[in-house]
Amino acid sequence: MRKGGVILYPTDTVWGIGCDATNAEAVARVYQIKQRDDSKALICLVDSDARMQRYFRNVPDVAWQIVDGLKEGDTKPTTLILDGAINLAENLIAEDGSVGIRITNEPFSKELCYRFQKAIVSTSANISGEPAAQNYCDIDPRIIEAVDYVCWSRRQEHKPHTPSSIIKLKENGEVTVIRK
């Protein structure tokens, strides 16, 4: 990933396609692999709230309240869409200046984010419009062939996984639940 590579990896939700979230060329490859219009946003994973703060001009208080609530036992992974994204690839940031970010608590993806020391793109490992790959065996061979590396962790797993909840938080305090 440090050289612009794209990977397949298990996350706290479904299997994901990932890359360095600060590398515009790598992000463009992810859009190409997914056959997805680059006007549709991708999200990022980070390993901690401290790292999350690096990518926004201002994180609203309600975001910290949600993050604290997730630490205290809400087990459903939750992606926050926040305004004022900075220090990320321009083609990752939505037209309104927002980006989706999730602090992962799943051991493999958390360690990956920690070791990489940057935000990592995390978008479902599927061709745009097709179902998300809950397990490695569900991934379209075209995606496997298109990436530079496939992580070994959890390849044998066969259990249901669901995408994260998504909550959009505006700087003015407005909260919109996009997906429960």
Side-chain angles (χ1 to χ4, degrees):
M1 287 191 302
R2 293 195 196 292
K3 295 179 181 178
V6 175
I7 66 169
L8 269 176
Y9 67 109
T11 74
D12 51 344
T13 58
V14 296
W15 269 74
I17 301 172
C19 69
D20 177 352
T22 67
N23 182 325
E25 289 177 13
V27 171
R29 276 195 60 214
V30 171
Y31 280 114
Q32 180 184 23
I33 290 167
K34 282 188 66 79
Q35 300 174 26
R36 184 174 182 168
D37 182 352
D38 66 5
S39 68
K40 292 186 176 183
L42 302 174
I43 70 160
C44 304
L45 285 186
V46 291
D47 64 318
S48 67
D49 45 3
R51 191 147 354 260
M52 181 178 86
Q53 192 164 359
R54 294 181 188 179
Y55 299 107
F56 300 94
R57 283 188 196 86
N58 179 38
V59 177
D61 288 340
V62 68
W64 295 124
Q65 291 168 7
I66 292 169
V67 166
D68 288 344
L70 293 169
K71 288 179 187 174
E72 293 174 10
D74 185 349
T75 58
K76 175 129 179 158
T78 301
T79 300
L80 302 177
I81 300 175
L82 304 174
D83 291 333
I86 56 172
N87 302 322
L88 293 165
E90 287 294 319
N91 54 347
L92 188 61
I93 300 170
E95 287 182 21
D96 66 359
S98 69
V99 77
I101 197 159
R102 185 169 71 248
I103 300 170
T104 181
N105 287 313
E106 184 272 333
F108 180 82
S109 56
K110 188 172 188 82
E111 182 73 13
L112 181 66
C113 290
Y114 173 76
R115 287 184 182 215
F116 192 60
Q117 295 287 299
K118 292 185 194 178
I120 297 173
V121 166
S122 181
T123 184
S124 57
N126 62 309
I127 303 296
S128 190
E130 294 181 4
Q134 293 184 35
N135 296 287
Y136 178 76
C137 62
D138 302 323
I139 300 172
D140 187 307
R142 295 174 291 177
I143 296 210
I144 294 169
E145 292 167 14
V147 299
D148 300 304
Y149 183 77
V150 180
C151 296
W152 284 95
S153 182
R154 294 177 36 209
R155 282 197 195 184
Q156 301 304 316
E157 187 173 81
H158 295 281
K159 66 181 195 178
H161 294 276
T162 57
S164 68
S165 297
I166 301 176
I167 302 172
K168 184 168 179 113
L169 306 173
K170 303 294 281 179
E171 286 184 14
N172 66 6
E174 181 183 328
V175 176
T176 306
V177 176
I178 295 175
R179 181 172 65 204
K180 285 190 172 195

